[in-house]
Each structure stands twice: as structure tokens, then as C-alpha cells.
Amino acid sequence: MPAKRGPRARLLGAAAALVALAALVSCTSDGGGKDPAGSRDGTGSTKPRSEAVRLPPVPDGFDYQIGGAYTPPSGVRIVARDRGDDPARGLYNICYVNAFQAQPDEQDDWPDDLLLRDGKDEVVIDADWDEALLDIGTPAKRERVADRVDQWIDGCADKGFDAVEPDNYDSYTRSDGLLNADDAVSFIKLLSQRAHARGLAIAQKNTVELADRRTRAGLDFAVVEECGAYDECGAYADAFDDRVVVVEYTDKGFEKALDGFGDRLSVVRRDVQVSTPDSDDYVRETG
């Protein structure tokens, strides 16, 4: 979802530090992010990622359609769509799932004890999107949340998507200290195992401060919002060997991303609601 999640300034220091770590990260990767991973699908499969998944063809034409599917414009080879939509025929398709928070209309579908609660037993809410944070603070709860998200990942695979994009990896930063980075990495590692077992690549969504944990988390590429606007594109590019697709929501951010990384990363300018072409708010530009 669009990156309107509170202060981002505290992330910039992490981005700078990440650049220094990039060389170490690249030494633990094979250049395509295809290090082996096991499976959680109950089949016992341990098929290496290098044989099981396909990575996006970057840099290439990209469209971000999580606000609603429509016929991809000419030149698009990579498209991201919500898990409720079907993939676009003949393109590289990324399946969006809200993995770390509950959609407002789905909050009641979650068991009460899997919604993160504060000291007053109140559900912790991402105020920007009115979404309850999921409680991934213990191994047992991570497994239970993953069991539910795994069903969505399976649905993405069954529909024919090539990759999955679990959103809100950074939800721990909005948890009032109830969750931490280790919780997030441990949880997404479970999702990575399921995705790879189903033949899907898996993307890191935003969260530049955790890009140096890419290998531990089992992540293959990145889907990032506004890295141009926040001067983070270089950190992602280094950590993911240029396997990065970028969405910018402002003209200035779009221009910065293109000027600095247009020949390395797949960059698109969209409206903040990622609306469909029949909307008055629709914006889509490419370099």
C-alpha cells in the first residue's frame, strides 16, 4: 500500500548504514537472491530456490495495480496485483498480500488473540490505514498467523502468479515497542519458506532498515515505495543486486528515482490510491 506510515526520518540513518553493509550482503547472495530454503507446505520439499522460482526481469516496464486490475499499458512486463485479482497473461505477476496487518473489513476474521494488544488490552491500530496489527511476538503466534497467510500464498500460486509481495513488513515500527525487528524477520522467513515451496519468489516490501537481513529472511527481490523521495534507492539496489521495482507517488520522487536509478531499477509513477484508469485520480508515468 502507499507509504503514508508516519515519520520516515528515522529510517534514513539506517539506509546510510546499510550502504556500508551492502558488500557483506552481496557476499552472502549469488547475485539473484536464490539461496536455498526449506518448505512449510507439509510435503517435505526442499527444492532449492534457484530451481523453483523466477525473478522479475528488471529493469523493465512495471505497473502497480494493487488498487484494481486493468489491462496493462504497452511496454509493461511486470505487474503487481491484489491477491483477489487474477494475474495478467504473459507478464511477470506479483501477488500483493497484507501479511502483517488486518484489512479493516477482515479484522473480525482473525482470532482475538492474534490481534496485537497494548497494556490496556486495546487492539494496536495503524492509524493511517485503520488496520489492526497482527501479533507475531512469539514463535507460536507467528506460526498461527503464517498458517492463515500461507493460504493466501497458496491462492497466489494456484492462480499462476510468479511472486508474492507481503505488505507491512515494517509494522513493528508502529507497534509501540510491542514487536521488534527480530519478530518481523522471523515471521517473514516462515512466509518465504511457504512461497518457495510453492514456486513463488518473495519480495521485501519497503523497510530499508531490514534490507541487510535479506538472506536470513529468505527474500528474493524488493518492491519499494518512494525510495526516490526518501533517498533509499541505492540501499535497496545494493542489497538486492538491482532486483528492485519502484513506485513513486510524487513528481519529485519520480524524477529522483529515474535520474539516479532509471537504468538499473524498474520505476513507475502512480497516484497514491493506485487507482484504475477510469478514476479521475489515475496517474501513471514511466521514464
Side-chain angles (χ1 to χ4, degrees):
M1 65 178 62
K4 43 181 285 191
R5 303 204 179 102
R8 294 287 299 271
R10 66 179 181 270
L11 302 184
L12 299 183
L18 179 59
V19 174
L21 291 171
L24 176 61
V25 173
S26 63
C27 290
T28 60
S29 168
D30 67 357
K34 302 177 183 177
D35 44 301
S39 94
R40 299 180 64 250
D41 67 349
T43 66
S45 170
T46 56
K47 191 174 184 181
R49 265 188 280 170
S50 58
E51 299 176 9
V53 306
R54 185 164 67 95
L55 300 181
V58 293
D60 216 326
F62 175 48
D63 199 12
Y64 204 49
Q65 299 186 4
I66 68 170
Y70 52 88
T71 301
S74 176
V76 169
R77 290 189 61 200
I78 310 165
V79 64
R81 289 179 170 176
D82 184 79
R83 64 182 174 89
D85 292 322
D86 292 325
R89 186 184 300 272
L91 303 183
Y92 187 94
N93 287 273
I94 303 168
C95 187
Y96 172 95
V97 299
N98 193 353
F100 288 75
Q101 299 182 179
Q103 301 279 125
D105 60 347
E106 296 179 351
Q107 180 173 327
D108 291 343
D109 296 339
W110 287 89
D112 285 345
D113 69 320
L114 291 184
L115 302 177
L116 186 67
R117 294 178 182 273
D118 62 20
K120 297 180 180 179
D121 202 36
E122 297 290 333
V123 175
V124 179
I125 299 292
D126 176 351
D128 284 332
W129 296 99
D130 193 29
E131 293 179 352
L133 274 63
L134 300 174
D135 190 349
I136 55 170
T138 68
K141 287 189 174 182
R142 286 194 286 272
E143 287 282 351
R144 290 175 60 205
V145 176
D147 284 344
R148 295 172 68 90
V149 178
D150 282 350
Q151 296 177 40
W152 303 339
I153 292 174
D154 289 347
C156 295
D158 291 342
K159 284 185 173 184
F161 282 89
D162 300 286
V164 62
E165 171 197 345
D167 199 9
N168 290 309
Y169 189 26
D170 62 347
S171 65
Y172 72 93
T173 66
R174 299 182 290 282
S175 72
D176 299 325
L178 297 171
L179 301 173
N180 59 42
D182 288 337
D183 295 326
V185 173
S186 295
F187 177 66
I188 208 167
K189 183 176 180 180
L190 298 179
L191 304 185
S192 297
Q193 291 171 344
R194 183 57 162 243
H196 295 146
R198 291 305 311 268
L200 299 176
I202 184 168
Q204 173 167 322
K205 179 66 173 291
N206 299 324
T207 325
V208 70
E209 68 270 31
L210 297 187
D212 63 316
R213 305 197 196 186
R214 169 234 177 139
T215 301
R216 173 185 165 190
L219 299 167
D220 302 302
F221 67 105
V223 175
V224 302
E225 296 169 303
E226 302 193 282
C227 70
Y230 292 101
D231 295 319
E232 297 170 348
C233 294
Y236 286 113
D238 290 343
F240 286 90
D241 307 304
D242 289 355
R243 294 285 185 176
V244 182
V245 294
V246 179
V247 188
E248 295 289 339
Y249 299 114
T250 65
D251 290 337
K252 184 176 180 180
F254 180 57
E255 292 170 3
K256 287 176 66 176
L258 283 182
D259 288 346
F261 298 91
D263 60 342
R264 295 172 58 184
L265 313 181
S266 300
V267 183
V268 68
R269 161 81 156 91
R270 288 301 327 269
D271 57 285
V272 72
Q273 297 300 326
V274 285
S275 56
T276 55
D278 57 351
S279 169
D280 292 339
D281 298 322
Y282 176 79
V283 174
R284 182 180 185 275
E285 298 177 32
T286 59

